[in-house]
Amino acid sequence: LQTTEYAPANTYTDEIDDTMLGTYEYRVRGYDAFGEKSNWSDIHLVKVGDKTPPVSPAISLFSVTRGKENKDSVTVTIHWRKGVMEEDFVGYNIYYFHESLGHEWFKVNPELIPPTDTTYTTEVVPMSNGFVIVAAVDKEGNEVLVPGQSVICALGQRANRADVDAL
């Protein structure tokens, strides 16, 4: 581990990279104004986990169905493929973005979708300019929600690259 020099405000920092995963033990002791040492503290455990998200899947089919009697009812069915199955990959989340909902992505699935599933159907706001992302999730909860790094589809119209980049 690399340590920083004395840091004011009673702080200590270790620089740990992505290859140094695990649990670390720390104990501290202080010095008073006369240079006298305190007793060692109890052990403090710090877990350093994985911060690398799994590879996003590719959407293979995306269909929009509008209600026959209720035109405000819009259902989307998403089919995807995940080429890389990381060892710590545990499932999928699906996120939806629409300007009328603010500038946030909303998770549409109430529970994590199992890694063996490759299809999901849900109702969405009945407008044509929303977007959907299928994000792969690992054991640590890492996932990619950055539109430029994820799979995006427009609902009811083709996505304009400028609109996607503006998200």
Side-chain angles (χ1 to χ4, degrees):
L1 296 177
Q2 297 176 347
T3 62
T4 60
E5 294 180 22
Y6 171 76
N10 301 320
T11 62
Y12 173 81
T13 304
D14 267 342
E15 293 179 18
I16 299 174
D17 65 33
D18 291 343
T19 64
M20 302 172 73
L21 307 178
T23 301
Y24 295 86
E25 296 181 359
Y26 292 91
R27 292 182 357 158
V28 296
R29 74 185 321 172
Y31 292 87
D32 65 18
F34 302 105
E36 298 292 321
K37 296 180 202 175
S38 69
N39 292 328
W40 284 103
S41 70
D42 293 334
I43 293 175
H44 299 276
L45 297 177
V46 176
K47 181 180 179 194
V48 178
D50 171 28
K51 298 293 181 205
T52 305
V55 174
S56 295
I59 291 179
S60 56
L61 179 64
F62 185 86
S63 62
V64 178
T65 306
R66 299 187 190 282
K68 291 181 181 179
E69 294 181 23
N70 180 1
K71 297 296 182 190
D72 288 340
S73 173
V74 179
T75 303
V76 296
T77 301
I78 308 156
H79 301 262
W80 62 86
R81 288 187 306 256
K82 181 159 171 46
V84 177
M85 298 299 226
E86 297 88 350
E87 191 174 307
D88 63 346
F89 167 62
V90 295
Y92 303 97
N93 281 322
I94 297 179
Y95 292 88
Y96 176 67
F97 174 89
H98 189 279
E99 290 175 353
S100 69
L101 300 173
H103 292 286
E104 294 182 38
W105 290 91
F106 293 92
K107 188 167 89 166
V108 299
N109 52 299
E111 296 178 3
L112 191 65
I113 300 168
T116 54
D117 288 2
T118 58
T119 302
Y120 191 80
T121 300
T122 188
E123 280 197 51
V124 295
V125 173
M127 296 184 186
S128 62
N129 58 350
F131 296 91
V132 173
I133 290 178
V134 179
V137 182
D138 67 15
K139 289 178 186 175
E140 294 289 331
N142 298 314
E143 59 186 345
V144 177
L145 294 181
V146 179
Q149 298 176 354
S150 301
V151 180
I152 302 174
C153 292
L155 303 177
Q157 66 184 18
R158 290 181 181 234
N160 179 328
R161 185 74 241 169
D163 292 340
V164 170
D165 290 341
L167 298 175

